């Protein structure tokens, strides 16, 4: 497969769409660094930039059969990065606005209509991301964070190990953290206050 290095992008994409894993590796090696540097420049955060680029490549592999290139592969990947970053920034803004308004409420003791709207918008955003989790993970996460069952209780109810419960909750928080662009602590805080 040494010849893949000399192939143009459009031929690599054709191979990728037919399930050729070596073509995926070549695209990954060809574009990972430039996409990472681009993401880091916008996000100003190395870990977040890395997460976004990993997400783009995971999505590229999982949805390989559906890829439609309207122009070049590089512009397709750059657009995907920008879309994901702007989506993440938008999520962060919704959360940040809510936390600011909550601080205001704690200080002044009154909620106005705009704050209630923000709270509703944020609750919908978090719920949407929870519903997008894989079904088993979502079920475990909801039992833990919405019904407040212990890992032991969930393990007994679903007849699985406590270790599985713990790792599924941890994975759910990691996914939500990435999608919503905030820390796991902030997500747990918001789940308990919305």
């Amino acid at each position: 497969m040494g010849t893949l290095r000399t192939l143009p992008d459009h031929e690599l994409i054709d191979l990728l769409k037919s399930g050729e894993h070596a073509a995926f590796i070549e695209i990954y090696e060809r574009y990972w660094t430039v996409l990472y540097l681009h993401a880091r420049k916008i996000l100003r955060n190395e870990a977040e930039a890395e997460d976004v680029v990993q997400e783009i490549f995971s999505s590229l592999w999982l949805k390989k059969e559906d890829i439609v290139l309207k122009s070049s592969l590089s512009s397709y990947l750059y657009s995907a990065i920008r879309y994901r970053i702007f989506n993440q920034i938008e999520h962060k803004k919704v959360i940040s606005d809510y936390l600011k308004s909550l601080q205001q409420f704690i200080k002044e003791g009154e909620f106005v209509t705009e704050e209630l709207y923000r709270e509703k918008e944020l609750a919908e955003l978090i719920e949407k991301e929870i519903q997008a989790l894989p079904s088993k993970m979502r079920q475990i996460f909801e039992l833990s964070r919405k019904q407040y069952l212990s890992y032991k209780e969930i393990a007994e109810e679903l007849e699985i190990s406590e270790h599985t419960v713990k790792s599924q909750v941890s994975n759910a928080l990691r996914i939500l953290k990435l999608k919503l662009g905030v820390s796991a602590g902030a997500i747990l805080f918001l789940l308990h206050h919305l």
Side-chain angles (χ1 to χ4, degrees):
M1 279 295 176
T3 55
L4 287 183
R5 292 208 166 155
T6 59
L7 286 184
D9 286 351
H10 68 274
E11 288 183 32
L12 279 176
I13 283 293
D14 289 342
L15 287 170
L16 174 70
K17 288 173 88 163
S18 67
E20 184 61 67
H21 193 256
F24 172 76
I25 298 296
E26 177 56 32
I27 293 167
Y28 184 92
E29 287 175 356
R30 206 174 275 191
Y31 284 102
W32 195 92
T33 304
V34 288
L35 291 174
Y36 165 73
L37 292 172
H38 183 63
R40 192 181 70 180
K41 192 171 150 193
I42 301 172
L43 289 165
R44 296 194 181 94
N45 181 305
E46 292 181 7
E48 283 182 16
E50 216 167 291
D51 284 344
V52 167
V53 176
Q54 286 304 123
E55 257 201 18
I56 291 296
F57 279 107
S58 296
S59 175
L60 187 72
W61 177 253
L62 293 171
K63 298 176 180 172
K64 56 188 176 292
E65 290 92 357
D66 307 321
I67 296 169
V68 178
L69 289 190
K70 293 191 171 74
S71 55
S72 65
L73 173 60
S74 60
S75 64
Y76 174 87
L77 291 170
Y78 275 111
S79 297
I81 282 277
R82 279 196 293 273
Y83 173 77
R84 216 159 274 243
I85 287 172
F86 292 144
N87 208 17
Q88 192 169 312
I89 288 168
E90 186 53 41
H91 283 14
K92 272 187 181 173
K93 187 180 176 321
V94 169
I95 291 168
S96 148
D97 287 350
Y98 174 71
L99 291 174
K100 273 188 210 142
S101 68
L102 187 65
Q103 284 170 332
Q104 194 71 13
F105 167 66
I106 291 164
K107 268 196 333 210
E108 295 173 11
E110 59 180 47
F111 254 148
V112 294
T113 313
E114 191 184 342
E115 270 72 27
L116 291 169
Y117 169 76
R118 277 190 188 140
E119 186 172 302
K120 181 174 174 286
E121 187 183 20
L122 182 59
E124 283 168 4
L125 180 66
I126 292 174
E127 190 53 38
K128 182 176 149 237
E129 294 302 348
I130 290 172
Q131 292 311 310
L133 292 170
S135 60
K136 195 71 175 173
M137 186 186 289
R138 185 183 74 234
Q139 183 188 17
I140 291 169
F141 186 77
E142 288 182 331
L143 288 171
S144 167
R145 301 301 170 186
K146 289 183 173 180
Q147 294 182 35
Y148 308 109
L149 297 186
S150 69
Y151 291 167
K152 188 171 188 295
E153 289 168 328
I154 297 169
E156 284 168 4
E157 185 171 321
L158 301 179
E159 297 176 352
I160 53 176
S161 74
E162 272 186 69
H163 174 73
T164 302
V165 173
K166 190 177 178 183
S167 71
Q168 290 280 41
V169 170
S170 155
N171 287 338
L173 280 171
R174 191 176 49 75
I175 292 169
L176 293 172
K177 181 182 157 191
L178 194 60
K179 299 276 190 194
L180 297 165
V182 291
S183 71
I187 291 165
L188 295 178
F189 169 81
L190 294 164
L191 282 171
H192 289 296
H193 287 80
L194 290 174

